[in-house]
Amino acid sequence: MSQRLAVIDGKSVFYRGYYAMPSLSTSKGVPTGGVYGFAALSLELIKKLSPDYVAVAWDKPKTNIRKRRQIYPQYKA
């Protein structure tokens, strides 16, 4: 029986949520769009794909798209 693994690009999903919902925040003004977006996308992925396993990959500090392209030139090609 084959098993399914879903891998989430944590930094990318978090930032997408953060910038998509900039006004989403706590009553004290702490931004929560990134957390909400990450949770919503993760739950939707799990619901749609029903993976056996889920992994979230986070970049090391100071990693950006330029560094990703140095490592893998076809990144986002």
Side-chain angles (χ1 to χ4, degrees), residues 4 6 39-51 54:
R4 183 178 283 180
L41 182 130
S42 299
L43 292 172
E44 185 68 20
L45 177 137
I46 292 166
K47 182 179 174 183
K48 284 186 177 183
L49 298 179
S50 299
V54 178

Side-chain angles (χ1 to χ4, degrees), residues 2-75:
S2 67
Q3 295 182 327
R4 183 178 283 180
L5 167 67
V7 180
I8 299 171
D9 180 347
K11 183 177 180 179
S12 177
V13 173
F14 181 87
Y15 279 137
R16 193 159 99 185
Y18 180 83
Y19 288 106
M21 298 174 268
S23 61
L24 192 61
S25 62
T26 66
S27 60
K28 294 183 180 183
V30 177
T32 58
V35 174
Y36 178 82
F38 177 83
L41 182 130
S42 299
L43 292 172
E44 185 68 20
L45 177 137
I46 292 166
K47 182 179 174 183
K48 284 186 177 183
L49 298 179
S50 299
D52 298 291
Y53 303 96
V54 178
V56 179
W58 295 93
D59 291 333
K60 295 187 313 185
K62 299 182 181 179
T63 300
N64 57 35
I65 194 166
R66 284 180 226 89
K67 294 228 183 213
R68 288 179 180 196
R69 286 191 176 140
Q70 286 174 349
I71 295 167
Y72 183 65
Q74 293 80 22
Y75 178 74

